[in-house]
Amino acid sequence: MTAVHRRSEQARQAILQAAFDICQQKGYAGLTIEGVASRAGVGKQTIYRWWSSKGTVVLDAFLDALGPTIDVPPAGDHLADLRRSLHSTADLLSHPRYGPMLADLVGALQHDEALAADFQQRVYEPIRRQTTERVERACAAGVIRHIDANLAADLLFGPLWFRALLMRQPPSTDYVDEVIDALLRGLAGSTPGAGGRE
Amino acid sequence: MTAVHRRSEQARQAILQAAFDICQQKGYAGLTIEGVASRAGVGKQTIYRWWSSKGTVVLDAFLDALGPTIDVPPAGDHLADLRRSLHSTADLLSHPRYGPMLADLVGALQHDEALAADFQQRVYEPIRRQTTERVERACAAGVIRHIDANLAADLLFGPLWFRALLMRQPPSTDYVDEVIDALLRGLAGSTPGAGGRE
Amino acid sequence: MTAVHRRSEQARQAILQAAFDICQQKGYAGLTIEGVASRAGVGKQTIYRWWSSKGTVVLDAFLDALGPTIDVPPAGDHLADLRRSLHSTADLLSHPRYGPMLADLVGALQHDEALAADFQQRVYEPIRRQTTERVERACAAGVIRHIDANLAADLLFGPLWFRALLMRQPPSTDYVDEVIDALLRGLAGSTPGAGGRE
Amino acid sequence: MTAVHRRSEQARQAILQAAFDICQQKGYAGLTIEGVASRAGVGKQTIYRWWSSKGTVVLDAFLDALGPTIDVPPAGDHLADLRRSLHSTADLLSHPRYGPMLADLVGALQHDEALAADFQQRVYEPIRRQTTERVERACAAGVIRHIDANLAADLLFGPLWFRALLMRQPPSTDYVDEVIDALLRGLAGSTPGAGGRE
DNA sequence: AGCTAAGCGAGACGGTACGTCACGTCTTACA
DNA sequence: TGTAAGACGTGACGTACCGTCTCGCTTAGCT
């Protein structure tokens, strides 16, 4: 009744490890299925059997290696938790090895719907959920003004990814703090009533 | 002294047009030099003679088609000018045809240093410069609080790109206004002195 | 003492039937072990356990289906028996389904020593033996001139296979008779002593 | 108007040479397009561009190497010319290197219509034509009895190919002479009127 | 007006990787 | 222990493009 000769865990790990290594060394574009198969000592078919594209392999490899580090446990102070989440993301983006890999992965997302959905579900949603919860708690505690939690998450994480992907200058620790402080303070100046709407 | 047979303007335009069309129809990944050459009725060599990679062709094609629309002329009110810049970017990212193409292009940036530099110089810098100037003028006018202009630009544009690239939900017009309003207002809540730094 | 689970006759027949069917439909080259296993509803291993190569499977399938028809029972008249043997072979080679299959099989022989030996022993030798015996009896009866029986067999069957394999025009019934008649008559012309030896 | 950068003669020869060498060393079945490309220092596409299958490559390689030897110039005596043609074919079939290769090629013919047609036209027809002409001249000269030239050709060459392909015992020089002598003499015995027709 | 050097279209070339197919071996669960 | 099922490492398939090259043409500017 059940499947027989089940999937080889050894092959799975060898493949993910090889993919991760190659992606670090030669970048996402330099990673080929043949290369992964060869380095993992595995047949190409074994890769195609379980993954639909090189993007999904890399995503799996990424999560297998870094998944645990993405989650930032809470420490009580809502605002501080948020700040630590941002630092964690900034650190990842700034990491000499994982940063470019992650950026590459996001790049690949742009022309691969399936990969994008996978990334959304497995990487982005968890972070998002954690963030919005913390924003909501901070709102409830009166630490930050009432605001749509998703919008707040965009305001917090947007600048980090922006620098990493568009300007290709991964965000430093100080930069994260500057972003948060500026956000808390707000941009509004002394001239009352200004809003610029036309 | 001068070249005997100058570059064919006709070939150049045919190539950029073909590249633009293919990129829209099949995405950046589906665009090949052979495909462009074939559609443009041009020899491959003619492409390789004048462009160093497919990324630069696409970038040129993009700028040739959309360059003018990127620039947003000022209208006097500094804050309104900024707002219109953001709307312009949001509209581009939300455009059914150009949005995905632009996202693809930014995706390709992540593993192509030369393309990244080119993009930086020809697309990003002009927008950046315009933005920071307006921020500075708005600061000087007291419309917005004193802030590093680059940081402000990140805060403004970051969320837009974030939604487009990471969440793959291009920013709507309303969303842009929500971002600006929230930024002006600031996140800080009623509880005084909170900052969350550890 | 005895095996606990003896070879499954059902599987054996399903395999040979599947092999025969596939070979007819897609030719020897289009027959694969996987295809046979799949059509027979059998594990590949079951095939590999009992046959050493696809050639041997096909040979078995061929003999299983056509073996009986190869043997041509004698009817008394030695020459007529020979003639009927030739007709039988010609009919097989001309059969719209089995002819090409047999030709394919002989084709495969050319690069498969084991298969060649098997074919030799199981297909060719029986026919050969039958033929040489009939030739010898015909000699003894004075119906045909004294001649090495193997040579005579070659002279009789050679032209048939030649047309089938080299010219790819399977021998017709009439052709067989023309061959026999010409052989009986001999080629020698009226000019005496001619032999052409150098 | 004409094609530009015409086919590389150097590549063509390297490919045919490589194919010939591999076919001798590893047999027709052991020859792969990849192997030929690799040994010839050539891209696979270059082979696929000019040949439709591995059979046609091998056929070309065969003709390139042995074509000239197939033709047997006449020496005046019609019967002797025929005898020399047979010896030539027998020698080829018996050659330790070319014999198996030729047999393999004929084997491949059995499941490749295009190759069969090519072989027919380029290998078989020339020999056939030569043979039938000589038979006709020998008839006219009265050296051999009047007979359909095609039938005579089958009677002459059939036994040789039969031994090579079916019995896998390439015909020796003596065997050729035995065949010819027996054919000239005829099989008919002393018993008059025998024919065996039913 | 003729010469000549560049740009041009075409497309062959040696390569790399693609995604698929079948090989023959293996492991597992069932009968 | 034989079997159906099917995963595994291997290697070839035929295709798509890569970036380089060579060819024969067209054309512009200089003698």
Side-chain angles (χ1 to χ4, degrees):
Chain A
M1 268 333 111
T2 58
V4 182
H5 198 166
R6 275 185 180 83
R7 176 171 186 180
S8 156
E9 176 60 18
Q10 187 182 326
R12 192 190 137 268
Q13 289 193 351
I15 290 164
L16 295 184
Q17 189 60 51
F20 193 78
D21 293 350
I22 292 174
C23 207
Q24 274 184 212
Q25 287 165 20
K26 305 201 269 180
Y28 183 86
L31 178 146
T32 64
I33 297 290
E34 297 221 318
V36 172
S38 154
R39 182 193 264 251
V42 136
K44 281 198 288 177
Q45 199 67 68
T46 302
I47 300 182
Y48 285 112
R49 213 186 326 264
W50 304 110
W51 288 275
S52 62
S53 69
K54 90 174 192 180
T56 56
V57 179
V58 173
L59 180 55
D60 262 20
F62 186 81
L63 285 172
D64 220 56
L66 299 180
T69 77
I70 286 178
D71 196 55
V72 176
D77 179 343
H78 307 308
L79 202 45
D81 286 349
L82 276 172
R83 193 181 292 270
R84 282 165 52 240
S85 291
L86 286 195
H87 276 300
S88 170
T89 294
D91 288 351
L92 198 53
L93 288 172
S94 303
H95 190 286
R97 302 229 280 243
Y98 311 145
M101 186 172 162
L102 183 53
D104 256 11
L105 199 54
V106 173
L109 243 71
Q110 308 306 321
H111 43 252
D112 185 338
E113 278 308 319
L115 179 61
D118 224 20
F119 181 86
Q120 200 73 25
Q121 185 200 323
R122 301 175 58 196
V123 178
Y124 193 68
E125 279 302 338
I127 301 181
R128 187 76 175 183
R129 196 157 28 239
Q130 198 182 59
T131 304
T132 53
E133 278 169 11
R134 289 177 184 181
V135 166
E136 277 158 6
R137 276 202 281 269
C139 281
V143 181
I144 65 173
R145 184 197 296 269
H146 178 74
I147 186 174
D148 176 79
N150 277 300
L151 176 58
D154 293 352
L155 295 177
L156 288 163
F157 283 92
L160 272 52
W161 285 96
F162 182 66
R163 286 200 88 82
L165 299 178
L166 270 286
M167 313 204 61
R168 302 186 59 72
Q169 297 166 355
S172 68
T173 301
D174 287 351
Y175 177 79
V176 173
D177 288 326
E178 287 174 28
V179 166
I180 295 176
D181 291 347
L183 279 175
L184 286 171
R185 215 180 297 128
L187 295 180
S190 48
T191 310
R197 299 238 194 163
E198 293 180 323
Chain B
M1 208 51 64
T2 60
V4 172
H5 200 145
R6 275 196 187 76
R7 176 171 188 182
S8 156
E9 177 59 17
Q10 186 183 328
R12 190 189 139 269
Q13 288 193 353
I15 289 164
L16 294 184
Q17 188 61 50
F20 193 78
D21 292 350
I22 292 174
C23 206
Q24 273 183 214
Q25 288 165 19
K26 304 201 270 178
Y28 183 85
L31 178 147
T32 66
I33 297 291
E34 300 220 318
V36 172
S38 154
R39 181 193 263 250
V42 137
K44 282 197 291 176
Q45 195 62 246
T46 303
I47 300 181
Y48 285 112
R49 211 186 329 263
W50 303 109
W51 288 275
S52 62
S53 69
K54 92 174 190 180
T56 56
V57 179
V58 173
L59 183 55
D60 261 22
F62 186 81
L63 285 172
D64 220 55
L66 299 179
T69 78
I70 287 178
D71 196 54
V72 177
D77 180 342
H78 307 308
L79 203 44
D81 286 350
L82 276 172
R83 193 181 292 270
R84 282 167 51 241
S85 292
L86 285 194
H87 277 300
S88 170
T89 294
D91 288 351
L92 197 55
L93 287 172
S94 303
H95 191 286
R97 299 231 281 247
Y98 310 146
M101 186 171 160
L102 182 52
D104 253 15
L105 198 54
V106 173
L109 244 72
Q110 309 305 321
H111 44 252
D112 185 337
E113 278 309 321
L115 179 61
D118 223 20
F119 181 85
Q120 199 73 26
Q121 184 199 324
R122 301 176 59 196
V123 178
Y124 193 68
E125 279 301 339
I127 300 180
R128 187 77 176 182
R129 197 156 29 238
Q130 197 183 58
T131 305
T132 52
E133 278 169 11
R134 290 175 184 182
V135 167
E136 276 158 5
R137 276 202 282 268
C139 282
V143 181
I144 66 173
R145 185 197 294 270
H146 177 75
I147 187 175
D148 176 77
N150 276 300
L151 177 58
D154 294 352
L155 295 176
L156 288 163
F157 283 92
L160 272 52
W161 285 96
F162 181 68
R163 285 200 88 82
L165 298 179
L166 270 285
M167 312 204 62
R168 304 184 60 72
Q169 298 166 353
S172 68
T173 301
D174 287 352
Y175 177 78
V176 172
D177 289 326
E178 286 173 27
V179 166
I180 295 177
D181 293 347
L183 279 175
L184 287 171
R185 215 180 298 125
L187 294 181
S190 49
T191 309
R197 296 239 196 161
E198 293 179 323
Chain C
M1 205 51 63
T2 59
V4 172
H5 203 142
R6 274 195 187 78
R7 177 170 187 181
S8 154
E9 176 59 17
Q10 186 183 328
R12 190 189 140 271
Q13 288 193 353
I15 289 164
L16 295 184
Q17 188 61 50
F20 192 78
D21 293 350
I22 293 174
C23 206
Q24 273 184 213
Q25 287 165 19
K26 304 200 271 180
Y28 183 85
L31 178 146
T32 66
I33 297 292
E34 301 219 317
V36 172
S38 152
R39 181 193 263 251
V42 136
K44 283 198 289 175
Q45 195 59 245
T46 302
I47 301 181
Y48 284 113
R49 213 187 326 263
W50 304 110
W51 288 274
S52 63
S53 70
K54 91 173 190 180
T56 55
V57 180
V58 174
L59 183 55
D60 262 20
F62 186 80
L63 286 172
D64 221 56
L66 300 179
T69 78
I70 287 178
D71 195 56
V72 177
D77 179 342
H78 307 309
L79 202 44
D81 286 350
L82 276 172
R83 194 182 290 270
R84 282 166 52 242
S85 292
L86 285 194
H87 276 301
S88 171
T89 294
D91 288 351
L92 197 53
L93 287 172
S94 303
H95 191 285
R97 298 230 283 248
Y98 310 146
M101 187 172 160
L102 182 52
D104 254 13
L105 198 54
V106 173
L109 243 73
Q110 309 305 322
H111 43 252
D112 185 337
E113 279 309 321
L115 180 60
D118 224 19
F119 182 85
Q120 199 72 25
Q121 183 199 324
R122 301 177 57 196
V123 178
Y124 194 67
E125 279 302 339
I127 300 180
R128 187 76 175 182
R129 196 156 29 236
Q130 197 181 60
T131 305
T132 52
E133 278 168 12
R134 290 177 183 180
V135 167
E136 276 158 6
R137 276 201 283 267
C139 281
V143 181
I144 66 174
R145 184 198 295 271
H146 177 74
I147 186 174
D148 176 77
N150 276 301
L151 177 58
D154 293 351
L155 294 177
L156 288 163
F157 283 92
L160 272 53
W161 285 96
F162 181 67
R163 284 200 90 81
L165 298 179
L166 270 284
M167 313 205 63
R168 302 184 61 68
Q169 296 166 355
S172 67
T173 299
D174 287 351
Y175 177 77
V176 172
D177 289 325
E178 289 174 25
V179 166
I180 295 177
D181 293 346
L183 278 175
L184 287 171
R185 214 181 300 127
L187 295 180
S190 49
T191 310
R197 297 239 194 163
E198 294 179 322
Chain D
M1 270 333 110
T2 59
V4 183
H5 197 166
R6 277 185 180 83
R7 177 169 186 180
S8 156
E9 176 59 18
Q10 187 182 326
R12 190 190 138 270
Q13 289 192 352
I15 289 165
L16 294 184
Q17 188 60 51
F20 193 78
D21 293 350
I22 292 174
C23 206
Q24 275 183 213
Q25 287 165 20
K26 303 201 270 180
Y28 183 84
L31 178 146
T32 66
I33 298 290
E34 298 221 316
V36 172
S38 153
R39 183 193 264 250
V42 137
K44 280 198 288 176
Q45 199 66 63
T46 301
I47 300 181
Y48 285 113
R49 206 176 344 252
W50 303 110
W51 289 274
S52 63
S53 68
K54 91 174 190 180
T56 55
V57 180
V58 173
L59 180 55
D60 262 21
F62 185 81
L63 285 172
D64 221 56
L66 299 180
T69 78
I70 287 179
D71 196 56
V72 177
D77 179 343
H78 306 309
L79 202 46
D81 286 349
L82 275 172
R83 193 182 290 271
R84 281 167 53 241
S85 291
L86 286 193
H87 276 300
S88 170
T89 294
D91 288 351
L92 198 53
L93 287 172
S94 304
H95 190 288
R97 301 230 282 245
Y98 310 146
M101 188 172 160
L102 183 51
D104 257 11
L105 200 53
V106 173
L109 244 72
Q110 308 306 322
H111 44 252
D112 184 338
E113 278 309 320
L115 180 60
D118 224 19
F119 182 86
Q120 199 72 26
Q121 185 200 325
R122 302 175 58 196
V123 177
Y124 194 67
E125 279 301 338
I127 300 180
R128 187 77 176 181
R129 196 156 29 238
Q130 198 183 59
T131 304
T132 51
E133 279 168 12
R134 289 177 184 181
V135 167
E136 277 157 6
R137 276 202 282 267
C139 283
V143 181
I144 66 175
R145 182 198 296 270
H146 177 75
I147 187 173
D148 176 77
N150 276 301
L151 177 59
D154 294 351
L155 295 177
L156 288 163
F157 282 92
L160 272 52
W161 285 96
F162 181 66
R163 286 200 87 82
L165 298 178
L166 269 286
M167 313 205 60
R168 302 185 61 69
Q169 296 166 356
S172 68
T173 300
D174 286 352
Y175 178 79
V176 172
D177 289 326
E178 288 172 26
V179 166
I180 296 177
D181 292 345
L183 279 174
L184 286 171
R185 215 180 299 130
L187 294 181
S190 48
T191 309
R197 297 238 193 164
E198 294 178 326

